[in-house]
Amino acid sequence: MENNFDIGTCREDEVFVDLGAYNGDSTFSFIENFGNYKRIYCYEMAASSMEKIKQKLASFDNIIYRQAAAGNKIDMICMTESDIDSCHTIMPRKGRDAAEHNQVWVPMVRLDDDIQEAITFLKMDIEESELEAMKGAKRHIREDKPKLAICSYHNNHHIYEIPRLMREYNPQYKLYMRYNGDMNDSLASEYVTFAIP
């Protein structure tokens, strides 16, 4: 997450939620660019990634680590890690043996249940699960009106469905879309939709 000072600013009492924290790079960038904060929540499914996050952010206080997926229900999901560090596959719950193919069970949570305090900034990069995670954070988005930075390229329909849901939850949001990828890349990827209250 690069800084976007022309879109919005952050205060010292920010409660930042990083869904798809990967290796802690976005959280580290948030701290580096915006400085102080009240609390940060880092969500990541893979144990190997979670260890990297904790190492990278070890010198910072008030960070809560959650090895869980975010969605619109409370459940357990089966996940398999690939050799590519940032790539994980969620398997259907029924008919799968978690002991096969390095599969592990991880909890799925709804942010509306999992975080009790008001949030001020919500970032999502969770490989096609953004819409369901937004539905699971509906109360936070409607009541807290956090700044949103949500990846909109993992599925073709996300390019319009994510902004539509942002506006449905809070019609006052001002929406911006940014391309954060390589300018020479011909693929329509790395688009992030920002919502600023």
Side-chain angles (χ1 to χ4, degrees), residues 9-28:
T9 58
C10 291
R11 309 180 311 255
E12 290 191 355
D13 62 345
E14 295 287 345
V15 176
F16 176 58
V17 180
D18 188 350
L19 294 186
Y22 176 44
N23 64 5
D25 55 348
S26 288
T27 295
F28 186 82

Side-chain angles (χ1 to χ4, degrees), residues 62-128:
N62 296 333
I63 299 180
I64 296 172
Y65 303 96
R66 299 268 206 253
Q67 189 181 339
N72 193 26
K73 59 184 176 180
I74 298 170
D75 202 355
M76 294 295 291
I77 58 171
C78 192
M79 182 200 80
T80 182
E81 292 188 57
S82 80
D83 293 336
I84 302 171
D85 188 28
S86 64
C87 193
H88 313 291
T89 304
I90 297 174
M91 309 297 290
R93 185 171 184 170
K94 294 181 179 176
R96 297 284 181 177
D97 180 1
E100 296 178 5
H101 309 298
N102 292 331
Q103 295 172 3
V104 294
W105 291 100
V106 294
M108 175 179 282
V109 300
R110 297 173 71 250
L111 288 187
D112 282 347
D113 303 315
D114 206 51
I115 299 177
Q116 300 307 309
E117 65 183 317
I119 63 176
T120 63
F121 196 135
L122 175 58
K123 168 255 175 184
M124 293 187 192
D125 185 359
I126 48 176
E127 310 301 322
E128 296 187 35

Side-chain angles (χ1 to χ4, degrees):
M1 179 179 68
E2 45 187 74
N3 67 55
N4 290 278
F5 297 115
D6 56 327
I7 293 178
T9 58
C10 291
R11 309 180 311 255
E12 290 191 355
D13 62 345
E14 295 287 345
V15 176
F16 176 58
V17 180
D18 188 350
L19 294 186
Y22 176 44
N23 64 5
D25 55 348
S26 288
T27 295
F28 186 82
S29 176
F30 174 85
I31 295 168
E32 189 175 57
N33 285 301
F34 298 116
N36 296 326
Y37 56 90
K38 178 181 176 184
R39 194 163 359 270
I40 293 176
Y41 292 83
C42 291
Y43 287 79
E44 179 58 48
M45 293 190 307
S48 58
S49 293
M50 185 55 74
E51 285 306 311
K52 291 177 183 173
I53 295 167
K54 289 179 178 179
Q55 288 173 9
K56 187 167 201 152
L57 304 175
S59 61
F60 300 106
D61 296 325
N62 296 333
I63 299 180
I64 296 172
Y65 303 96
R66 299 268 206 253
Q67 189 181 339
N72 193 26
K73 59 184 176 180
I74 298 170
D75 202 355
M76 294 295 291
I77 58 171
C78 192
M79 182 200 80
T80 182
E81 292 188 57
S82 80
D83 293 336
I84 302 171
D85 188 28
S86 64
C87 193
H88 313 291
T89 304
I90 297 174
M91 309 297 290
R93 185 171 184 170
K94 294 181 179 176
R96 297 284 181 177
D97 180 1
E100 296 178 5
H101 309 298
N102 292 331
Q103 295 172 3
V104 294
W105 291 100
V106 294
M108 175 179 282
V109 300
R110 297 173 71 250
L111 288 187
D112 282 347
D113 303 315
D114 206 51
I115 299 177
Q116 300 307 309
E117 65 183 317
I119 63 176
T120 63
F121 196 135
L122 175 58
K123 168 255 175 184
M124 293 187 192
D125 185 359
I126 48 176
E127 310 301 322
E128 296 187 35
S129 298
E130 287 84 1
L131 281 174
E132 289 304 301
M134 286 179 69
K135 292 173 186 175
K138 181 178 180 178
R139 176 182 57 80
H140 276 299
I141 295 172
R142 283 190 165 166
E143 295 178 7
D144 305 343
K145 300 175 178 61
K147 295 175 282 291
L148 305 174
I150 301 180
C151 289
S152 311
Y153 64 90
H154 292 121
N155 224 311
N156 290 338
H157 63 92
H158 284 185
I159 204 86
Y160 59 88
E161 287 288 345
I162 286 172
R164 183 198 61 77
L165 198 57
M166 289 173 167
R167 274 283 171 81
E168 179 184 320
Y169 289 170
N170 183 355
Q172 304 305 313
Y173 271 136
K174 294 178 183 175
L175 303 184
Y176 305 87
M177 186 170 285
R178 286 270 169 97
Y179 175 69
N180 292 328
D182 184 343
M183 294 307 290
N184 297 317
D185 193 347
S186 61
L187 298 175
S189 64
E190 305 299 328
Y191 283 95
V192 178
T193 302
F194 294 86
I196 306 299

